[in-house]
Amino acid sequence: MLRKIRIILAFLFFAGITMLFLDFTGTVHTWLGWMAKIQFLPAVLALNVAVMVILLALTLLLGRVYCSVICPLGVLQDIFARLGAYSKKRKYRFSYSPARNILRYGIFALFIIALVAGIGSFVALLAPYSSYGRIAQNLFSPVYIAINNVIAGIAENHGSYAFYTKETWIKAMPVFIVASVTFVVLFVLAWRNGRTYCNTICPVGTVLGFFSRFSLLSPVIDVSKCNSCGLCSKRCKAACIDGKNHAIDYSRCVACMDCIDTCKHGAISYTMRSKAVKPVMAHTGGDAAGRRSFLTIAGGIIATTALKAEEKTVDGGLAVVLDKKIPDRKTKLVPAGSQSLAHFRQHCTGCQLCVSQCPNDVLRPSTELDSLMQPVMSYETGYCRPECTRCSDVCPAGAIKPIDVADKSSTSIGHAVWVKDNCVVLTDDVSCGNCARHCPTGAIVMVPSDPADPDSNKIPTVNTEKCIGCGACENLCPSRPFSAIYVEGNLQHRII
């Protein structure tokens, strides 16, 4: 019964979080946006103390149920492992193995160093929620959109406009490759060895694994009923049950309840551990190693939650999109609500949720090494509409803080720059004025190109104090391949 409840809850969370990335209308987020905000690492980066306390308390009470129910990457691995159990023989293909704590805590230490140092690409690569977000955005979303477009076409032919088509394209090839490789690696590891990734690489699994060793409730082996058949060890995808010694490494147990259903003698039950049963520290070197593990985990959590937005300039990067080329911005653009480029880079986990939700395809993953997979803004396919706050509504990590329409319309994320050599007014001797006509703040004014001739073709001038950096001018400029006016980012956002 417990296993069935766990599977039902895991399915609901997995389906809900997946739809957050697939649904481009924003409807799902209205109801299920909280699922993204209770993911562990985004909650830590957003300094969401309430969520962190609840998740740690849940782990101390029930064990690592977060990893088997709430974490979408963990559930995805369970799906892969389930696909591998296509026969009874394959169903019992796992075996107990000692914990690889040197690798486990070594990767965690590197993760914390990268987090403190602001190496966002390494953090994004290991963050489990972000890894799943990239998979959903790059691999699942195109399929979903293609199906939607087919349905929209059929509905339109029958006079219904309940659906509308959505363009799909690879927004960053390096990120697509990273997502594909991650998917394949997880599939192979889970197919063959179950939760190897969770218990050796995942930093969230390492943190929760430490606390789960002291959980109040957990699977317990009744030695008097156990006949040492070993089926529980062969079914355990976390490889944490030592059937010969009747011991369970609770730091790796994800509370999947498979062992309870497998045992035919009722020797395993999910209950309170008696005082005589001590948490198993398999191959950790006893109490000294336990203390070292505690210091590693505690130091990591303290360092992470103490992160401040220290001033640091880093660049993003994009690939060529459609027929317009991306200008060489000295300072990259990040959404209103980010406060500054430094704040955004240090809090963003590269989960791609904002990318999937951006209605104008302004956000797309960076392809540059120092900010790989973190979103950057560019205006080749659309511009950032002042009335849109979708990215700030969905961000679970606090990289883009919630912002209302009034504040969005008065927040300057950048300023327009006119490039004389690209302007069609001068190169083709024609009248234009597109940039001024579509500027929502009136920051662009057309003036005569020849001050001595009031009737000469007019060129734009930019009042940077009024410009909010929305990109309407850049997007709607007819110049090709580079716009004659583009937006340069502000290191620190300001209110106009």
Side-chain angles (χ1 to χ4, degrees), residues 52-74:
M52 287 190 287
V53 169
I54 290 173
L55 291 178
L56 290 177
L58 185 68
T59 303
L60 288 171
L61 178 63
L62 304 176
R64 283 174 59 182
V65 292
Y66 171 90
C67 299
S68 58
V69 174
I70 300 174
C71 177
L73 197 70

Side-chain angles (χ1 to χ4, degrees), residues 64 67-68 77-78 81 94-100 104 190 193-200 232-242 248-259:
R64 283 174 59 182
C67 299
S68 58
Q77 291 175 77
D78 285 347
F94 304 121
S95 61
Y96 171 76
S97 63
R100 295 176 175 84
R104 193 178 186 184
N193 302 308
R195 289 292 190 118
T196 300
Y197 179 88
C198 291
N199 287 328
T200 54
C232 55
S233 297
K234 295 177 181 178
R235 185 72 189 280
C236 178
K237 57 199 171 194
C240 67
I241 301 180
D242 183 356
I248 299 175
D249 183 351
Y250 293 111
S251 72
R252 291 184 289 157
C253 176
V254 294
C256 66
M257 312 300 174
D258 287 352
C259 57

Side-chain angles (χ1 to χ4, degrees), residues 217-222 248 250 267-274 277:
L217 298 173
S218 58
V220 176
I221 299 176
D222 187 340
I248 299 175
Y250 293 111
I268 305 178
S269 59
Y270 185 70
T271 184
M272 291 182 62
R273 279 183 271 171
S274 65
V277 180

Side-chain angles (χ1 to χ4, degrees), residues 9 225 227 268:
L9 291 175
K225 296 181 180 179
N227 66 349
I268 305 178

Side-chain angles (χ1 to χ4, degrees), residues 301-432:
I301 294 175
I302 292 171
T304 303
T305 54
L307 281 175
K308 301 295 181 183
E310 64 180 64
E311 291 302 320
K312 179 181 178 182
T313 302
V314 293
D315 292 329
L318 299 172
V320 175
V321 180
L322 301 180
D323 62 340
K324 269 200 174 186
K325 291 187 178 179
I326 298 161
D328 183 18
R329 308 182 208 274
K330 295 179 181 179
T331 303
K332 300 305 176 184
L333 290 160
V334 291
S338 304
Q339 299 179 345
S340 67
L341 182 60
H343 176 273
F344 182 80
R345 294 304 186 208
Q346 289 195 330
H347 288 77
C348 176
T349 64
C351 73
Q352 315 296 309
L353 184 56
C354 59
V355 174
S356 69
Q357 291 294 304
C358 182
N360 297 303
D361 291 325
V362 168
L363 287 169
R364 68 286 302 267
S366 167
T367 59
E368 291 195 0
L369 186 60
D370 58 359
S371 57
L372 185 65
M373 298 176 287
Q374 292 185 332
V376 289
M377 301 174 70
S378 205
Y379 302 128
E380 289 70 55
T381 61
Y383 64 93
C384 189
R385 298 182 180 275
E387 70 275 10
C388 177
T389 60
R390 186 81 66 82
C391 58
S392 70
D393 293 338
V394 304
C395 179
I400 311 174
K401 293 186 177 297
I403 188 171
D404 58 29
V405 174
D407 288 338
K408 168 75 180 293
S409 301
S410 60
T411 298
S412 176
I413 65 173
H415 56 277
V417 177
W418 180 57
V419 182
K420 178 181 179 180
D421 293 340
N422 295 345
C423 188
V424 295
V425 173
L426 301 179
T427 60
D428 299 348
D429 192 25
V430 297
S431 296
C432 182

